[in-house]
Amino acid sequence: MRKPDSKIVLLGDMNVGKTSLLQRYMERRFPDTVSTVGGAFYLKQWRSYNISIWDTAGREQFHGLGSMYCRGAAAIILTYDVNHRQSLVELEDRFLGLTDTASKDCLFAIVGNKVDLTEEGALAGQEKEECSPNMDAGDRVSPRAPKQVQLEDAVALYKKILKYKMLDEQDVPAAEQMCFETSAKTGYNVDLLFETLFDLVVPMILQQRAERPSHTVDISSHKPPKRTRSGCCA
Amino acid sequence: MSLKSERRGIHVDQSDLLCKKGCGYYGNPAWQGFCSKCWREEYHKARQKQIQEDWELAERLQREEEEAFASSQSSQGAQSLTFSKFEEKKTNEKTRKVTTVKKFFSASSRVGSKKEIQEAKAPSPSINRQTSIETDRVSKEFIEFLKTFHKTGQEIYKQTKLFLEGMHYKRDLSIEEQSECAQDFYHNVAERMQTRGKVPPERVEKIMDQIEKYIMTRLYKYVFCPETTDDEKKDLAIQKRIRALRWVTPQMLCVPVNEDIPEVSDMVVKAITDIIEMDSKRVPRDKLACITKCSKHIFNAIKITKNEPASADDFLPTLIYIVLKGNPPRLQSNIQYITRFCNPSRLMTGEDGYYFTNLCCAVAFIEKLDAQSLNLSQEDFDRYMSGQTSPRKQEAESWSPDACLGVKQMYKNLDLLSQLNERQERIMNEAKKLEKDLIDWTDGIAREVQDIVEKYPLEIKPPNQPLAAIDSENVENDKLPPPLQPQVYAG
């Protein structure tokens, strides 16, 4: 298997749909490359680079272990359920502290999943109907409740994260660009989420590679080359 | 002669009566033939001589004592000398050992010289011989692999050889410093290949894997679980911890694996085998491969059980369960070794790194495990930890068919012990009841007797006056008629 150049980590509470989100993207766009074994680790080739995507355990009893996953991450996707406000609160309370081990220039995306269960999501679902002719008719008939978390709440959280990380808004992507509302079930906005992140991560890879030679001191270049012949190389 | 004897028997010469000293006075046998004056003089002289002899004796004893003390000192000196010899012997032994190691290392580095390898093999113990064989094989593989790269291969071999020689002299550094040296080496070699050698990334990866295999096979003996660290202590602590947690059930961890399904049970066994096998590998990449194989078996087990791909929320608790069930040896040492000496790019972003991170999370979870983590009350948790109770007892009927015979036998024994305990308690209760019955019966009998005595009081008359003997003197004279007096008739 190819070695990844960068990694993206999915964080969020249990049952917000992190795994479904990841599987939806991988299966929908690249059905042939989906691993039939695991559903928690994926390797995606984007242009000429390999990006790995890590799913994490969000259950509360595993709280605190997530910092190991975020070590050296280039981007972190913070996921919540638009129908449960508490899952957004958990992102700030439990998961934000875990991201300290990520890269200093790590990107953040705020994703509200399961919009298909809301009134507004129904409209979005209808728009997608042409792309998904196999969608069940029963879903459209069932009543939908108004969603509890608005996009403005996610934008507010994004700005809190910038403040927490002491980042300037000028140096990072705009909040509106990094906050998504998705539905893993209907596929709404899933592709947009991942491909936006991939596009933003690639320049970081290039920058890291460009920076690498200047940080390296070639010690062996100062040593005189040995002229003695080794028997095994004869 | 005969005449002389005859004369003595008959006649005593007068000269014999004189003092022995010849002073002219007569001697006395009490004074041993001396006169009183000469005897006094002689006695004084003898006493003086005696005093002199006593003094000399005391002096001799003193000298002997001093000699004894000196001898004791000399003996201690001998002991000191012996100890010194022992120390010298030990130093010689140590020096010889170091020389042997150096000789072995030096001989081993010259792979082409088979004769010297043979010489090095002969005096070495079997462990060294085995290591030499494996190292020899890895070295040959490495050289064969590098030949395909021609000039770049030669350069790599030279750099690798230099690194190993450098590490030999850095053996006294702390393990963290040695780890940094290894990481720097990986980084520099990869850097040089990409910039100057223009080697494509796929080949760089293969070369790095071979380099890691070669150098870590050579260094394994010195850097795995070194004595300078507390890795061994941590190994024993985590092993003891896992043993204490044998009672944890899949339900407590919310493990979505149904071991009643034969395929799932097979996957679980394979996962446990893989995680235990990690300790038998030497190259960090091989250890990571064991972890990856274990993880893939876990994903397969979850997929078969749930009939859908597994998520991280399913995978991590199952990995924890596998670690608790397998209790792999030297777990912390292996994790530390991989962290210190593995190629970092593999560890940070790759699939192997993902599974390795999950293993680290599982171990951290096991170390911090408490009642709340398992949704138990503190009392239950404490009882399970102390071994007072076993949570599997309630589920004895629902044993998995895959449970090993030992576990089944253990639970059967636990059931037997429980039954024996109950029987013992029953017998004790019966005994106490019997004791109580006996006491009650005794009291009852006593009470009945008391009642009867009270109901029918017995009146005993005082004994009658004994009849007076006829001949005894009669006390009551006043009732009897007066005695008859004889009447004299005149006639």
Side-chain angles (χ1 to χ4, degrees):
Chain A
M1 185 181 288
R2 295 184 300 272
K3 192 164 289 186
D5 301 299
S6 188
K7 97 184 181 189
I8 296 173
V9 178
L10 269 161
L11 291 182
D13 202 3
M14 190 181 179
N15 292 328
V16 297
K18 303 190 296 296
T19 307
S20 302
L21 208 56
L22 184 51
Q23 287 170 12
R24 177 72 193 204
Y25 175 70
M26 298 304 291
E27 289 171 9
R28 178 182 171 88
R29 302 288 288 182
F30 305 96
D32 297 332
T33 62
V34 169
S35 169
T36 56
V37 175
F41 176 88
Y42 286 99
L43 194 62
K44 173 73 178 71
Q45 187 170 15
W46 185 256
R47 297 181 187 173
S48 61
Y49 303 99
N50 299 314
I51 301 171
S52 62
I53 308 170
W54 291 26
D55 190 8
T56 64
R59 201 184 301 167
E60 188 163 7
Q61 62 192 137
F62 302 132
H63 172 66
L65 306 176
S67 60
M68 299 193 202
Y69 295 100
C70 296
R71 193 183 306 146
I76 292 176
I77 300 172
L78 296 164
T79 314
Y80 66 96
D81 183 347
V82 295
N83 304 293
H84 289 94
R85 169 166 283 278
Q86 182 62 26
S87 62
L88 182 72
V89 177
E90 294 280 351
L91 289 181
E92 186 179 358
D93 293 346
R94 279 176 48 205
F95 291 94
L96 187 52
L98 306 179
T99 62
D100 296 342
T101 54
S103 300
K104 57 172 183 169
D105 51 355
C106 175
L107 300 170
F108 289 89
I110 316 294
V111 177
N113 197 31
K114 301 191 181 181
V115 292
D116 55 291
L117 302 177
T118 68
E119 288 177 355
E120 300 179 20
L123 185 60
Q126 287 177 8
E127 291 176 359
K128 284 283 183 177
E129 190 171 358
E130 297 176 2
C131 305
S132 309
N134 297 326
M135 199 164 64
D136 294 338
D139 288 339
R140 286 174 289 172
V141 178
S142 62
R144 289 177 173 80
K147 59 180 175 179
Q148 299 182 8
V149 187
Q150 305 299 325
L151 191 60
E152 292 76 24
D153 301 319
V155 170
L157 175 60
Y158 186 82
K159 291 180 176 176
K160 280 184 184 177
I161 292 173
L162 297 188
K163 198 172 299 182
Y164 174 84
K165 295 289 181 179
M166 292 184 291
L167 296 171
D168 195 349
E169 289 190 12
Q170 308 301 323
D171 300 330
V172 298
E176 290 74 18
Q177 189 183 353
M178 302 305 290
C179 295
F180 303 84
E181 287 187 336
T182 62
S183 167
K185 188 162 192 179
T186 63
Y188 172 67
N189 259 359
V190 172
D191 300 341
L192 178 65
L193 159 67
F194 284 103
E195 285 161 14
T196 300
L197 278 180
F198 294 157
D199 283 337
L200 292 168
V201 162
V202 165
M204 294 171 61
I205 298 173
L206 293 171
Q207 187 180 356
Q208 286 172 6
R209 286 190 173 181
E211 285 176 356
R212 198 180 298 174
S214 64
H215 292 312
T216 303
V217 178
D218 198 350
I219 302 172
S220 63
S221 65
H222 298 286
K223 296 179 181 178
K226 290 188 174 181
R227 298 182 178 277
T228 56
R229 287 192 172 189
S230 302
C232 57
C233 295
Chain B
M1 189 70 173
S2 173
L3 181 59
K4 187 175 181 180
S5 172
E6 184 179 1
R7 184 177 289 177
R8 274 189 184 179
I10 294 171
H11 176 74
V12 175
D13 198 355
Q14 187 175 357
S15 65
D16 287 337
L17 298 176
L18 294 177
C19 178
K20 284 183 181 178
K21 209 167 184 182
C23 64
Y25 291 95
Y26 284 100
N28 191 307
W31 295 329
Q32 298 178 4
F34 293 103
C35 65
S36 62
K37 185 181 178 185
C38 293
W39 162 252
R40 193 177 303 110
E41 288 179 2
E42 193 68 23
Y43 177 74
H44 179 72
K45 192 181 295 182
R47 199 155 69 104
Q48 197 73 19
K49 190 175 180 182
Q50 183 69 30
I51 289 171
Q52 181 72 20
E53 284 179 358
D54 286 348
W55 189 79
E56 284 177 0
L57 179 62
E59 196 172 31
R60 187 167 71 256
L61 288 177
Q62 181 74 15
R63 197 180 308 110
E64 282 179 359
E65 192 169 337
E66 285 178 355
E67 284 176 0
F69 183 69
S71 175
S72 174
Q73 287 287 79
S74 174
S75 175
Q76 285 190 1
Q79 283 186 357
S80 176
L81 182 60
T82 305
F83 185 72
S84 178
K85 280 187 175 179
F86 173 74
E87 244 178 358
E88 186 181 351
K89 183 181 178 184
K90 197 168 179 74
T91 304
N92 286 337
E93 185 178 326
K94 198 179 291 184
T95 305
R96 181 164 60 252
K97 192 179 289 183
V98 170
T99 306
T100 304
V101 171
K102 283 183 177 177
K103 185 182 178 185
F104 172 73
F105 191 81
S106 175
S108 182
S109 67
R110 284 174 287 186
V111 180
S113 181
K114 192 168 184 180
K115 182 182 176 184
E116 292 185 48
I117 288 176
Q118 193 66 36
E119 285 179 2
K121 280 181 185 178
S124 301
S126 62
I127 293 173
N128 278 346
R129 188 176 300 119
Q130 184 179 354
T131 304
S132 172
I133 290 169
E134 188 172 345
T135 307
D136 189 27
R137 181 177 56 81
V138 170
S139 299
K140 284 181 178 174
E141 287 177 3
F142 186 57
I143 292 165
E144 285 298 318
F145 172 80
L146 289 182
K147 276 181 182 176
T148 59
F149 294 92
H150 307 295
K151 190 177 179 182
T152 304
Q154 287 182 19
E155 179 68 19
I156 289 167
Y157 182 75
K158 201 180 300 180
Q159 294 298 322
T160 309
K161 202 172 171 184
L162 270 176
F163 171 76
L164 284 174
E165 288 172 3
M167 289 300 285
H168 176 63
Y169 294 112
K170 293 171 181 171
R171 205 165 289 168
D172 295 330
L173 297 179
S174 73
I175 196 68
E176 279 73 27
E177 285 165 322
Q178 295 185 51
S179 166
E180 276 191 36
C181 293
Q183 302 295 332
D184 288 344
F185 177 68
Y186 289 137
H187 184 75
N188 291 334
V189 171
E191 187 75 23
R192 194 172 309 113
M193 277 194 286
Q194 286 172 0
T195 56
R196 301 160 86 202
K198 304 299 178 187
V199 183
E202 297 83 24
R203 304 189 87 185
V204 168
E205 188 173 332
K206 283 185 180 176
I207 293 172
M208 292 308 297
D209 286 343
Q210 288 293 329
I211 289 172
E212 181 190 290
K213 185 176 182 181
Y214 179 63
I215 65 173
M216 294 320 298
T217 302
R218 296 281 290 271
L219 296 173
Y220 185 78
K221 191 166 68 171
Y222 310 107
V223 298
F224 182 81
C225 196
E227 294 172 0
T228 55
T229 65
D230 56 350
D231 288 350
E232 187 173 350
K233 201 179 299 180
K234 286 179 180 174
D235 287 335
L236 296 176
I238 190 67
Q239 204 158 40
K240 188 178 177 184
R241 174 78 173 165
I242 290 172
R243 199 177 299 122
L245 291 166
R246 293 299 286 211
W247 51 268
V248 174
T249 64
Q251 289 76 30
M252 294 175 181
L253 291 168
C254 303
V255 173
V257 162
N258 183 7
E259 291 182 87
D260 294 333
I261 304 174
E263 293 90 348
V264 174
S265 169
D266 196 39
M267 290 296 161
V268 168
V269 171
K270 285 179 179 174
I272 292 172
T273 304
D274 290 328
I275 199 71
I276 290 174
E277 192 185 352
M278 172 178 61
D279 189 51
S280 66
K281 304 296 183 184
R282 292 166 150 252
V283 182
R285 182 173 61 104
D286 294 345
K287 288 180 187 286
L288 281 179
C290 290
I291 297 170
T292 300
K293 269 200 295 175
C294 168
S295 300
K296 287 187 186 294
H297 285 130
I298 290 172
F299 274 106
N300 270 324
I302 295 169
K303 187 184 177 185
I304 294 169
T305 302
K306 297 184 74 176
N307 203 25
E308 66 182 22
S311 69
D313 279 304
D314 300 327
F315 172 66
L316 184 54
T318 311
L319 180 59
I320 291 167
Y321 176 66
I322 294 295
V323 171
L324 289 178
K325 225 180 170 187
N327 200 354
R330 300 199 287 189
L331 187 51
Q332 284 284 8
S333 289
N334 280 295
I335 289 174
Q336 293 299 323
Y337 175 72
I338 291 167
T339 306
R340 290 169 183 150
F341 293 102
C342 189
N343 194 350
S345 63
R346 172 186 297 273
L347 211 54
M348 292 297 285
T349 54
E351 187 178 21
D352 292 342
Y354 177 72
Y355 298 132
F356 178 69
T357 302
N358 275 279
L359 180 63
C360 295
C361 291
V363 173
F365 179 83
I366 288 167
E367 285 173 344
K368 300 178 202 166
L369 184 51
D370 57 8
Q372 190 179 353
S373 307
L374 299 175
N375 296 320
L376 297 172
S377 66
Q378 190 65 41
E379 295 80 23
D380 281 346
F381 184 80
D382 292 337
R383 277 196 277 116
Y384 294 153
M385 286 296 282
S386 63
Q388 226 174 335
T389 317
S390 172
R392 284 289 282 265
K393 184 164 174 285
Q394 288 80 27
E395 306 175 15
E397 292 79 16
S398 66
W399 274 343
S400 316
D402 68 300
C404 63
L405 291 178
V407 174
K408 283 183 181 176
Q409 190 66 38
M410 189 177 71
Y411 287 132
K412 284 178 184 175
N413 291 344
L414 282 176
D415 288 344
L416 268 181
L417 286 174
S418 295
Q419 290 171 15
L420 287 175
N421 193 41
E422 289 173 6
R423 197 181 300 176
Q424 177 76 7
E425 285 183 4
R426 203 177 320 123
I427 289 174
M428 289 298 292
N429 289 335
E430 295 281 345
K432 287 179 180 177
K433 188 178 176 184
L434 182 61
E435 185 184 12
K436 185 170 179 297
D437 286 350
L438 281 174
I439 293 172
D440 289 348
W441 181 76
T442 305
D443 291 344
I445 293 294
R447 203 176 313 107
E448 284 182 7
V449 169
Q450 190 69 22
D451 289 348
I452 290 171
V453 166
E454 289 175 358
K455 194 170 181 181
Y456 304 98
L458 182 61
E459 295 181 2
I460 301 175
K461 295 180 180 178
N464 290 331
Q465 291 286 335
L467 294 175
I470 297 174
D471 293 334
S472 67
E473 190 161 353
N474 200 330
V475 179
E476 303 178 4
N477 290 335
D478 52 337
K479 295 184 179 178
L480 294 175
L484 296 174
Q485 296 292 331
Q487 294 181 359
V488 178
Y489 295 96

